[in-house]
Amino acid sequence: MGNGYYAIYVGLHWVAVFLYVVATILNVDGFVFNHKRVEKISYAFGVAGLLVHGPAIVYAWAVVGHGPYLTAHEALTSFAWATLSLFLLFIRMYPRLKPASIIVFPSTFLMIALSLFYSPAMYELPPTFRSIWLVFHITFYKITLATNIVALACSVFYVLEKRITAAWFQRLPDPQTADLFAYRFAGFGFIFWAIAMISGSIWAYQSWGRFWGWDPVETWSLVTWLAFGLYLHLRRFFGWKGERAAWLYIGVFAMSLVAMFYTTHLIGSLHTEFFLER
Amino acid sequence: MMISGFPLRIKRFFLSRNTVIALMGLVLLFVLVGALVPQSFSTPDQKFHGWKAAHPWLAPVAEALGLHQLYGTPWFVATLALALVSLSLSFVEQFQTAYRRTFGPVARPAGGGLRTDMSEEGIVRVLRLYGYLLASRDGLLRFVKHPWGYWGNSLLHLGIIVTIAAGLFVALTYKRASITLNEGQVHSPEAPWASEEKGLLAGKFVLPGAVRLDRVEAEFWEDGKVRMITSELSFGDGNERERGYSVSVSSKASHKGVAVYQGVEFGDTFYVDFIGPDGRTNSFWIQIKNPQGLRKAIAVENFTLPWVQGRLDAAYHIDAELKSMQSTNPRFFMRFKKFDEIVGPVNMTIGESARLGDYEVRLVKVVKWSSLVFVDMKGMPAVFLGFFIIVSGGFVSYFTPPREVIAEATSGGHFLYWKAARFKEFYAGEYGDITRALEVRDA
C-alpha cells in the first residue's frame, strides 16, 4: 500500500477522533448541565464523525478487498463505528435510552483512539477467511457489543443512582427504567452472541472440518454466553433485579470484553494462527 | 399422563430453579476451568510444559484432577448429562405451557379490567392496527400479538438439547485425519496417516478408496502471501472409474461420505540424488513449506540421511530468477554440518548439480505437495438443525414476546384486560396507546 493510501486512511481516522471527542465533551456537558441545545449539537458531531469514519473503513475495504476484521486496529475501529451507529438506531426505537449516550460516546472515542495505537497496516485476506459465515460471525459480534454497551450503561446508571444525589443524575432514566432496559438489552445481546458463536462454528466447520474444537477463543465465547444465560435465568426465575443484577451484568460485560478483545488477538489459538503477523 | 411418587420427585428436582441454576453454574465453571488450564489435546507441547513450569503448585493438582483433559473427565460428562436431563424435562414443561397458552381455554382474568363502550367490531379493528389478532372466541374474546412467542423458550431449549446431543454423537463417532501428498503420490486406504484423531466409539479411519493428489495450484497476493490453495485429487481403487475432485481452502469436496478439506500447508518437494565418491547414488526427497515471498525461504534444518555423517539444512527460493511466485523453476539450497564444520550452502535448479563435501548432489525434479484433511463426521445436519432451532427460539422469545388483550362482553360494551407474557413494563407504552385508542375508562 502506498504512502498516499495510509495518509488518507489515517488522516480520516484522526478527523473522526476529533469529531468524536468534541461530540463526547458536548454530550456530557449538555446532559450534566441540562444544555439541551448543546446536547443536540453533540449528536450532530457524532453523526459527522460517523460520516468521516465510515468512508475511511469503506475506503480501506475497497483497497484491500476485505472487511475490517483482520487486525486489532481493524477490529477496534469497526467496533467503534458499529457501536455508535447502532446506538443512534436504538434511541430512535427507544428514546428513553438517550442518556446512555454519556457512556456510548466515550466508548466509541476510546475504541477508535485505541485502534490508532495499533498498526493500521493492511494485509491481504488469508484463504481461510474467505467465507460469508465469517462476515456473519464478525457482524453479529459487533451488534452484540453495541447492545451490551447499552445494557452496561443502564446497569451503571442503576448502581450510581443509588449513590449519587447530584441534580443531573435525576435526569438519568429512573432506576426501574434503567433496570428494565438493562434486562431487555441483555436478552438481545444473549441472542446476538448466540448467532455470532453459531456462525463462527459454521465457518470453522466449512474451513477446517471441525465445528467446535475447544479453541481458547471458542471456549471464552461459550463461557461468556453461559454467563449471560445465568444472568438472565437469575433475573427471570430468582427475581434478581436492581443493584445485584446490575453488578452481575457489569461483571459479565467485563467477561465479554475478554472474550472479544483479549483472546482473539493476544492468546494463541486457531484464530490467531491465521491472523497475520504484525 | 400423571406421574407421582419417586418419578415426580425426580422431575421436580430437575425442574427446580435451584437445580437449573446449579447445573448452569457447574457447566460454566467447567468451561471456565477449561479455558484457564491448558488442554493437552489442543496445546502445543512447549506451551503445555511452559504452563506446568510456571505453575509448580497448580500443575500437580491439575494433573490429579484430570484438568488437562477436562472435557473427557467423568465429572464433566456427568454434569453435561444431568444438564441434558434438566433441559429435556424443562423443554417438555415449556412445550406444555406453550401449548396451553396457544390452544387452551381462555381464563377470565381475576380483575383490574378497563371498560370500553366500543363494539366488538371496533375492538377488532383497533387492535388489528396494533398487531393483535383475534385468536379465540370462547365466551371471551382473546387477541394475541406474536402468538408464536409462547414457543420461543421451548424452541430455544430444544435447540440446545439437539445441539448437545448431536454434538456428543459427533464427538463420539467422528474420524479426522491428515496427510501430506506430493503431486502424483497415492495414499492407499491402509496407509498410515500423518495425524489421526477420532471419537471414543470410532474405529480406524479407512478411506473408501485410494486417493491421488494430481495437482496443486496456489495463488498469491502481490507481496507473496498466499491468496488461495487448490488441490485436484482423484479417488479410485483400480476397479472403478476414478472420480476427480477439486478442493480449495474453505471449499471442501465429498466422496462417499468422507469430506476432504484443503489444508493450509503446501510447498515443493525436492527429489535429490547424492552421488558418492564410490559412484553409488542414493536418492531422497524432502518437502519444504512454500516461502512467503520471492526473497524469502523456509528452511528444514538439522535433518539426517543414512549415508551422510552429519546434519543437513535445506531451503529454497520459489523462483530462481526472483521474478514470479508462480515459477516452476525454484532454486534449491543445501548445506552440510559436521561438528564445527559447515560445508555450503550450495544451490541448484532442476537438473543442475553441485559439490557438497564428498558428494555430488543433483536436483532431479521438483513437484508440489499439499496437506489434506479427511473428515468422516456423521450427525452434522442434526447439529446445524440444533443451531437453527436455537436461533429461532431465541429470536422469537426475546424479540417477539406475546401480548394479549382479553375482551369480556358486558352490557353496552366490553371489559378489557391486557397482559404481556414477559417484559410487561417494557411495553407499558403500547398498553397506554391501546387503552387510549380503545377509549377505555376505569371499570
Side-chain angles (χ1 to χ4, degrees):
Chain A
M1 311 294 162
N3 287 335
Y5 159 80
Y6 282 113
I8 294 170
Y9 179 73
V10 175
L12 285 173
H13 267 73
W14 279 112
V15 171
V17 168
F18 171 75
L19 290 168
Y20 289 147
V21 168
V22 172
T24 300
I25 293 170
L26 292 177
N27 186 265
V28 173
D29 173 87
F31 184 81
V32 171
F33 298 108
N34 202 19
H35 297 149
K36 293 280 183 216
R37 191 170 148 72
V38 171
E39 193 182 341
K40 204 169 174 182
I41 293 171
S42 76
Y43 280 92
F45 272 90
V47 170
L50 288 175
L51 290 175
V52 170
H53 189 187
I57 294 174
V58 171
Y59 175 57
W61 195 327
V63 170
V64 298
H66 65 78
Y69 42 76
L70 212 54
T71 64
H73 163 79
E74 290 174 356
L76 282 165
T77 186
S78 55
F79 267 120
W81 190 89
T83 296
L84 184 58
S85 48
L86 283 168
F87 174 70
L88 294 178
L89 179 66
F90 291 153
I91 58 176
R92 283 194 72 90
M93 297 161 65
Y94 309 108
R96 285 189 284 175
L97 279 177
K98 248 187 160 184
S101 61
I102 61 171
I103 291 190
V104 174
F105 275 45
S107 301
T108 302
F109 153 65
L110 277 171
M111 281 191 279
I112 187 175
L114 197 58
S115 78
L116 290 169
F117 277 89
Y118 290 93
S119 167
M122 297 294 165
Y123 298 92
E124 287 85 4
L125 202 64
T128 46
F129 279 50
R130 293 166 171 263
S131 169
I132 189 67
W133 290 106
L134 174 65
V135 177
F136 287 145
H137 176 61
I138 302 291
T139 302
F140 275 98
Y141 271 123
K142 297 198 190 303
I143 296 172
T144 305
L145 181 67
T147 314
N148 289 349
I149 286 180
V150 170
L152 173 76
C154 295
S155 299
V156 168
F157 291 161
Y158 192 99
V159 169
L160 292 179
E161 274 183 293
K162 294 285 181 182
R163 288 164 173 74
I164 298 176
T165 54
W168 69 271
F169 252 80
Q170 309 315 311
R171 284 196 291 279
L172 292 173
D174 61 271
Q176 194 179 4
T177 302
D179 187 56
L180 175 66
F181 274 94
Y183 185 14
R184 199 78 179 92
F185 273 75
F188 293 150
F190 176 72
I191 299 308
F192 289 136
W193 192 285
I195 298 173
M197 264 204 318
I198 284 169
S199 45
S201 252
I202 297 172
W203 168 48
Y205 177 69
Q206 190 182 54
S207 298
W208 302 300
R210 194 204 303 270
F211 77 96
W212 192 267
W214 296 106
D215 181 82
V217 174
E218 293 168 345
T219 307
W220 270 105
S221 192
L222 180 62
V223 165
T224 305
W225 190 69
L226 288 171
F228 276 126
L230 198 66
Y231 166 86
L232 292 169
H233 274 74
L234 284 169
R235 290 211 68 149
R236 175 104 192 260
F237 298 109
F238 283 80
W240 274 41
K241 54 166 68 175
E243 192 158 341
R244 61 178 175 172
W247 278 116
L248 177 60
Y249 188 80
I250 290 168
V252 174
F253 180 82
M255 197 179 275
S256 74
L257 292 182
V258 171
M260 272 197 206
F261 296 111
Y262 179 67
T263 58
T264 51
H265 289 273
L266 297 175
I267 291 183
S269 82
L270 204 55
H271 282 67
T272 53
E273 266 182 47
F274 295 96
F275 278 96
L276 296 161
E277 289 173 4
R278 296 180 284 284
Chain B
M1 186 181 77
M2 290 286 290
I3 54 172
S4 59
F6 185 66
L8 180 62
R9 284 209 299 276
I10 294 285
K11 181 185 168 187
R12 282 186 179 152
F13 169 75
F14 276 106
L15 289 178
S16 90
R17 55 184 194 174
N18 290 328
T19 304
V20 168
I21 285 294
L23 285 172
M24 282 187 74
L26 266 177
V27 172
L28 173 59
L29 181 63
F30 270 116
V31 179
L32 186 60
V33 169
L36 295 170
V37 176
Q39 299 301 296
S40 56
F41 70 89
S42 62
T43 308
D45 284 345
Q46 196 178 4
K47 207 170 172 183
F48 190 72
H49 294 305
W51 184 88
K52 284 185 168 181
H55 300 87
W57 57 271
L58 184 56
V61 175
E63 199 70 49
L65 293 175
L67 297 184
H68 295 301
Q69 300 90 26
L70 184 66
Y71 307 116
T73 58
W75 335 116
F76 180 70
V77 173
T79 304
L80 208 56
L82 290 173
L84 257 182
V85 170
S86 179
L87 271 168
S88 303
L89 289 171
S90 180
F91 160 69
V92 170
E93 194 83 353
Q94 287 167 357
F95 182 90
Q96 289 170 341
T97 302
Y99 188 90
R100 208 165 41 242
R101 284 177 173 171
T102 305
F103 303 111
V106 183
R108 186 181 183 280
L114 299 173
R115 187 184 159 83
T116 177
D117 296 329
M118 212 174 261
S119 66
E120 179 181 314
E121 293 71 26
I123 292 171
V124 169
R125 189 180 63 250
V126 167
L127 288 177
R128 188 177 293 145
L129 292 173
Y130 288 91
Y132 289 74
L133 301 178
L134 184 61
S136 64
R137 186 200 296 271
D138 185 18
L140 299 169
L141 298 173
R142 181 164 162 258
F143 300 84
V144 185
K145 181 170 183 173
H146 304 151
W148 50 82
Y150 286 123
W151 300 89
N153 272 335
S154 53
L155 277 177
L156 176 61
H157 286 79
L158 176 65
I160 295 172
I161 293 165
V162 170
T163 302
I164 293 177
L168 277 173
F169 177 78
V170 169
L172 289 171
T173 61
Y174 86 102
K175 299 173 198 168
R176 193 170 190 275
S178 65
I179 48 172
T180 59
L181 288 178
N182 301 324
E183 283 177 332
Q185 189 177 0
V186 175
H187 176 85
S188 62
E190 315 83 33
W193 299 100
S195 71
E196 185 181 2
E197 48 184 271
K198 55 188 178 174
L200 280 175
L201 302 180
K204 186 168 167 41
F205 193 3
V206 177
L207 287 181
V211 61
R212 184 181 67 233
L213 176 63
D214 295 321
R215 193 161 164 264
V216 179
E217 194 175 307
E219 298 167 35
F220 300 92
W221 297 101
E222 279 178 15
D223 62 356
K225 296 269 188 341
V226 176
R227 184 179 172 143
M228 182 52 70
I229 312 162
T230 303
S231 294
E232 287 171 18
L233 324 164
S234 298
F235 268 96
D237 61 5
N239 293 326
E240 59 183 71
R241 194 167 60 89
E242 287 183 347
R243 285 205 59 182
Y245 297 92
S246 179
V247 294
S248 303
V249 178
S250 299
S251 175
K252 67 181 197 287
S254 284
H255 177 76
K256 294 186 179 177
V258 173
V260 188
Y261 292 83
Q262 172 65 58
V264 294
E265 293 193 335
F266 76 105
D268 286 277
T269 303
F270 298 85
Y271 289 78
V272 182
D273 282 346
F274 267 67
I275 304 161
D278 56 359
R280 191 186 300 189
T281 301
N282 289 292
S283 303
F284 82 102
W285 55 263
I286 183 169
Q287 290 176 337
I288 306 178
K289 285 186 194 174
N290 203 81
Q292 299 219 352
L294 284 170
R295 294 175 191 281
K296 294 186 179 176
I298 297 175
V300 176
E301 295 179 324
N302 296 320
F303 65 95
T304 57
L305 295 170
W307 57 85
V308 174
Q309 283 192 346
R311 294 179 182 277
L312 295 145
D313 298 339
Y316 76 106
H317 281 155
I318 191 96
D319 183 13
E321 294 177 19
L322 301 176
K323 283 181 182 171
S324 168
M325 293 295 293
Q326 303 283 5
S327 169
T328 55
N329 183 31
R331 185 174 298 283
F332 180 67
F333 299 85
M334 190 178 254
R335 71 178 179 186
F336 165 64
K337 298 180 290 194
K338 187 176 178 181
F339 305 116
D340 293 331
E341 185 191 357
I342 296 178
V343 179
V346 297
N347 70 84
M348 62 210 92
T349 57
I350 299 171
E352 287 183 353
S353 301
R355 195 87 202 159
L356 190 67
D358 295 333
Y359 294 89
E360 182 186 337
V361 291
R362 184 169 62 232
L363 181 59
V364 177
K365 70 172 179 177
V366 180
V367 299
K368 294 281 182 203
W369 66 267
S370 171
S371 61
L372 298 164
V373 179
F374 296 82
V375 178
D376 182 356
M377 200 180 276
K378 296 184 178 40
M380 283 310 297
V383 172
F384 291 135
L385 177 66
F387 286 167
F388 175 74
I389 298 173
I390 287 174
V391 173
S392 305
F395 192 87
V396 158
S397 179
Y398 282 96
F399 289 87
T400 61
R403 282 90 80 189
E404 288 188 13
V405 171
I406 293 172
E408 182 183 21
T410 183
S411 56
H414 291 81
F415 276 112
L416 299 170
Y417 306 87
W418 180 88
K419 66 174 182 175
R422 298 175 68 184
F423 307 115
K424 187 176 73 172
E425 300 86 359
F426 198 78
Y427 296 104
E430 180 181 290
Y431 171 66
D433 292 343
I434 288 172
T435 51
R436 276 190 294 278
L438 289 171
E439 299 166 3
V440 299
R441 50 191 169 89
D442 287 337

